[in-house]
């Protein structure tokens, strides 16, 4: 036994004419400059529109990563090679200077070698492979970032 719904009505089907298209509607509307605005209001509107500057291009989004010369600090993964970067302290564009520091990898490997051999605990302190790398600005010596081995 089918259930009949009395509140439902069929939608009316209309044919599409050229006056119901969006292009025709836009051409019949008056634009803001065609409205009856007084001269002081119109000059104020023009002054406000001329003072709005276009958005400045974003360095990180407008240039593809393969063409960038300098990198921003937000997306950098520091490694043991120098980077071309803008210093956050002096804002100069430079290639970072690397400085080696003893980190946790040096101390752990030294402890391991001392337990195994008893004599070669000093080797991690003179090798580059275990040390952390600190990236510094060459002009102001500001530490920009650090690459930790562990």
């Amino acid at each position: 036994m089918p259930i009949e719904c009395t509140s439902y009505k069929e939608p009316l089907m209309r044919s599409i004419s050229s006056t119901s298209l969006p292009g025709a509607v836009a051409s019949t509307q008056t634009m803001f400059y065609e409205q009856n605005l007084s001269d002081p209001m119109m000059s104020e509107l023009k002054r406000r529109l001329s003072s709005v500057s276009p958005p400045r291009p974003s360095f990180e989004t407008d240039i593809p990563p393969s063409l960038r010369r300098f990198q921003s600090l937000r997306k950098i993964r520091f490694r043991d090679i120098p980077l071309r970067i803008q210093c956050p302290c002096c804002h100069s564009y430079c290639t970072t200077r690397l400085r080696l520091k003893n980190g946790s990898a040096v101390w752990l490997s030294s402890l391991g070698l001392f337990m195994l051999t008893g004599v070669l605990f000093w080797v991690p302190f003179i090798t580059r492979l275990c040390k952390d790398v600190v990236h510094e600005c060459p002009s102001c010596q500001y530490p920009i970032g650090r690459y930790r081995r562990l």
Side-chain angles (χ1 to χ4, degrees), residues 78-142:
F78 292 102
R79 294 290 175 196
D80 53 352
I81 56 173
L83 296 174
R84 293 180 57 96
I85 198 169
Q86 182 180 11
C87 177
C89 182
C90 66
H91 301 291
S92 64
Y93 291 98
C94 59
T95 303
T96 59
R97 183 175 50 201
L98 303 180
R99 193 171 49 125
L100 299 175
K101 291 192 87 172
N102 294 334
S104 57
V106 170
W107 291 101
L108 286 175
S109 58
S110 175
L111 178 68
L113 284 173
F114 179 73
M115 292 177 134
L116 290 176
T117 63
V119 210
L120 298 176
F121 64 89
W122 51 270
V123 173
F125 289 99
I126 61 169
T127 60
R128 181 185 169 101
L129 294 174
C130 296
K131 294 189 176 193
D132 292 349
V133 179
V134 178
H135 292 261
E136 290 181 344
C137 175
S139 60
C140 66
Q141 284 78 34
Y142 180 77

Side-chain angles (χ1 to χ4, degrees), residues 9-139:
K9 294 182 180 180
E10 282 287 324
L12 295 174
M13 299 299 289
R14 296 185 305 175
S15 63
I16 299 175
S17 64
S18 63
T19 59
S20 65
L21 293 175
V25 173
S27 65
T28 60
Q29 294 177 347
T30 58
M31 301 306 245
F32 75 92
Y33 55 84
E34 294 174 355
Q35 295 175 357
N36 295 329
L37 295 176
S38 64
D39 288 334
M41 289 175 65
M42 191 64 157
S43 62
E44 177 67 22
L45 182 63
K46 286 180 182 177
R47 185 187 64 79
R48 285 187 182 177
L49 287 175
S50 65
S51 66
V52 175
S53 62
R56 294 178 61 194
S58 172
F59 181 73
E60 296 163 353
T61 58
D62 293 345
I63 301 172
S66 60
L67 298 178
R68 290 185 201 147
R69 284 183 62 193
F70 299 100
Q71 300 173 353
S72 68
L73 285 177
R74 283 182 240 140
K75 298 179 182 179
I76 289 182
R77 295 189 61 182
F78 292 102
R79 294 290 175 196
D80 53 352
I81 56 173
L83 296 174
R84 293 180 57 96
I85 198 169
Q86 182 180 11
C87 177
C89 182
C90 66
H91 301 291
S92 64
Y93 291 98
C94 59
T95 303
T96 59
R97 183 175 50 201
L98 303 180
R99 193 171 49 125
L100 299 175
K101 291 192 87 172
N102 294 334
S104 57
V106 170
W107 291 101
L108 286 175
S109 58
S110 175
L111 178 68
L113 284 173
F114 179 73
M115 292 177 134
L116 290 176
T117 63
V119 210
L120 298 176
F121 64 89
W122 51 270
V123 173
F125 289 99
I126 61 169
T127 60
R128 181 185 169 101
L129 294 174
C130 296
K131 294 189 176 193
D132 292 349
V133 179
V134 178
H135 292 261
E136 290 181 344
C137 175
S139 60

Side-chain angles (χ1 to χ4, degrees), residues 1-8:
M1 177 176 210
I3 300 173
E4 292 184 28
C5 183
T6 57
S7 64
Y8 177 74

